[in-house]
Amino acid sequence: MSATEPAQAAGRRTKLTVRAAFVVANVALVGVFIHQSLATSSFPVASPSDARHGALADGFVPAGVKVFDDEIPGVANLDPELLGALRRAATDAAHDGVEFFVNSGWRSPAYQEQLLTEAVSKYGSREEAARWVATPDTSPHVLGQAIDIGRSDATAWLSKHGAAYGLCQIYDNEPWHYELRPEAVDHGCPPRYADPTHDPRMQR
């Protein structure tokens, strides 16, 4: 054996040790990622956007909520007559393969103010924001008298059949926004406003 052979053998052992340590570290990292993935799927937490949009108790409605979900305050706190009409319509729409999802329903005054503040930031002025979001003092959502329905097949169904249940689209620019107009059952829905700024209720 030459004088360099022990050194070469030691070098090979060092490389093997480093490679083994690298493999162990990678396995550990994979284990951490798997654990985190399982934890996330088993125990979902609110996303930052959920926190920004408010709490369930204030009327924030998470994705996938339907008009029959009484445990969601945004649904449960709707005016009983409006909710009853919505549920009758949703039951009949289901026979046509259409589901009613709730994008927004009842809102607390604080949540309505938060949405208005966000709209002002988005549209650049309070005047422009008023075309989309009312004040807490004027919003029918705060009174539980309005609902924003998703998805497009549901709004299309309501556009065609809603009057039979007293459910009417109120604004041209918001095809998802519905309110109860009982007289519509016999006389059809009233003419729509171009947007909320044309609604006399919003002028208070």
Side-chain angles (χ1 to χ4, degrees):
M1 183 183 342
S2 70
T4 59
E5 286 179 345
Q8 290 174 342
R12 284 195 295 270
R13 284 195 297 272
T14 300
K15 289 179 181 178
L16 288 174
T17 301
V18 171
R19 288 177 183 168
F22 183 77
V23 169
V24 170
N26 279 339
V27 169
L29 284 173
V30 169
V32 169
F33 288 139
I34 291 174
H35 174 76
Q36 289 178 339
S37 177
L38 290 174
T40 301
S41 62
S42 301
F43 305 100
V45 295
S47 69
S49 63
D50 288 349
R52 181 177 66 83
H53 282 301
L56 290 178
D58 280 323
F60 169 69
V61 178
V65 169
K66 300 179 183 178
V67 297
F68 299 98
D69 291 339
D70 284 327
E71 70 277 13
I72 303 297
V75 175
N77 292 338
L78 286 170
D79 175 81
E81 292 186 7
L82 171 60
L83 188 55
L86 284 164
R87 289 177 171 176
R88 289 192 296 274
T91 298
D92 291 343
H95 296 306
D96 294 331
V98 176
E99 289 184 294
F100 287 10
F101 290 90
V102 181
N103 289 338
S104 191
W106 167 84
R107 303 169 186 157
S108 72
Y111 184 34
Q112 186 68 31
E113 183 64 36
Q114 179 183 340
L115 293 177
L116 179 57
T117 299
E118 291 176 0
V120 171
S121 177
K122 177 179 180 179
Y123 295 109
S125 70
R126 198 170 181 89
E127 290 73 22
E128 185 63 21
R131 297 184 60 242
W132 303 98
V133 182
T135 67
D137 293 334
T138 60
S139 174
H141 284 280
V142 172
L143 299 175
Q145 295 176 351
I147 189 166
D148 293 345
I149 288 289
R151 303 167 182 158
S152 58
D153 59 341
T155 56
W157 193 95
L158 278 173
S159 178
K160 184 176 181 180
H161 304 287
Y165 305 87
L167 297 170
C168 295
Q169 178 186 340
I170 305 301
Y171 307 117
D172 283 333
N173 70 328
E174 295 187 4
W176 52 82
H177 179 104
Y178 275 79
E179 298 180 25
L180 184 66
R181 298 290 185 270
E183 65 276 9
V185 174
D186 295 320
H187 304 292
C189 289
R192 296 189 296 268
Y193 300 109
D195 62 54
T197 62
H198 296 267
D199 186 343
R201 298 176 299 170
M202 303 298 126
Q203 310 309 316
R204 290 187 279 122

